[in-house]
Amino acid sequence: MEENNEQYLLELRQRINAKAEEMVKINYSGGTKPSKTVRRIAIAVLVALFVWIEVFLYNKNDFWETNALMGVFIIVSFIGHYLMTLIMRHFLTSMKNASTAPQHYRAVKRLILTHKLRYLISLALGWAAGGVVAYRLGSAYYWSSIPAATACFIGTIIGAAMRNWYLDEDFRYDVEELGDLIKQESAD
């Protein structure tokens, strides 16, 4: 009976590792590859947004300040997202190298928290860096970037508290089952 439980625990850990590897892959299309139509629509919306910002929202005197602000925001957001993905890879390695189930569970919980924080932390860093650039340029956009960065940080905190945020349901249930097995094992 004990050997059967150990075998089931090993299979559960392997399933969790396999699903975590899919989460950590650096896939710039967001996990699943969207169709060409969806990608074209997304690109058209982004181009329209940038044209609208450049032509209608800002006046002609601050063209370079606006572009510097947007460029810094985009670059820092990509770097932040990539760094959070590297942190997730570290926790995945910790999961694979864990010798006991409690070590594996701690590593997978850290991976999940990092996964939840990955999206909004990069946006918040982008807004904050854009605000610093706007402040250094003496632009009035600095004051509008403060509420946006604050909203991103608050959104990150709220998002981290949410139970399921862009997580596979099967993965979440497997992690909960692993936690229950560890609690049950420690109670015995």
Side-chain angles (χ1 to χ4, degrees), residues 7 9 27 40 46 54 58 75 79 100 109 120 122 133-134 144 153 157-158 172 185-187:
Q7 179 66 25
L9 185 62
N27 186 353
R40 289 178 182 155
L46 285 175
E54 291 293 335
Y58 300 116
I75 291 169
I79 291 171
T100 64
K109 292 301 277 186
L120 286 179
S122 62
V133 168
S144 65
F153 280 118
I157 294 168
I158 293 170
R172 189 173 57 84
E185 200 173 272
S186 65

Side-chain angles (χ1 to χ4, degrees), residues 84 112-122 156-157 159-160 165:
M84 294 297 282
I112 289 172
L113 180 63
T114 308
H115 174 73
K116 288 179 177 181
L117 298 177
R118 175 171 52 172
Y119 297 104
L120 286 179
I121 286 288
S122 62
T156 301
I157 294 168
W165 191 7

Side-chain angles (χ1 to χ4, degrees), residues 10 18 23 27-28 32 40 55-56 77 79 88 93 95 99-101 123 126 136 142 145 147 153 157-158 163 168 172:
L10 181 64
M23 284 174 38
N27 186 353
Y28 296 107
T32 59
R40 289 178 182 155
V55 174
F56 298 110
S77 294
I79 291 171
M88 286 178 64
T93 304
M95 288 168 50
S99 58
T100 64
L123 290 178
R136 297 293 293 172
Y142 169 71
S145 68
F153 280 118
I157 294 168
I158 293 170
R163 179 182 173 121
D168 182 23
R172 189 173 57 84

Side-chain angles (χ1 to χ4, degrees), residues 70-134:
M70 287 192 304
V72 167
F73 168 74
I74 291 169
I75 291 169
V76 171
S77 294
F78 278 128
I79 291 171
H81 188 272
Y82 183 73
L83 290 176
M84 294 297 282
T85 303
L86 290 179
I87 292 169
M88 286 178 64
R89 282 186 176 178
H90 168 74
F91 290 133
L92 178 65
T93 304
S94 299
M95 288 168 50
K96 289 181 177 180
N97 294 335
S99 58
T100 64
Q103 288 176 345
H104 186 265
Y105 183 67
R106 281 191 300 271
V108 78
K109 292 301 277 186
R110 290 178 183 144
L111 177 92
I112 289 172
L113 180 63
T114 308
H115 174 73
K116 288 179 177 181
L117 298 177
R118 175 171 52 172
Y119 297 104
L120 286 179
I121 286 288
S122 62
L123 290 178
L125 290 174
W127 276 111
V132 168
V133 168

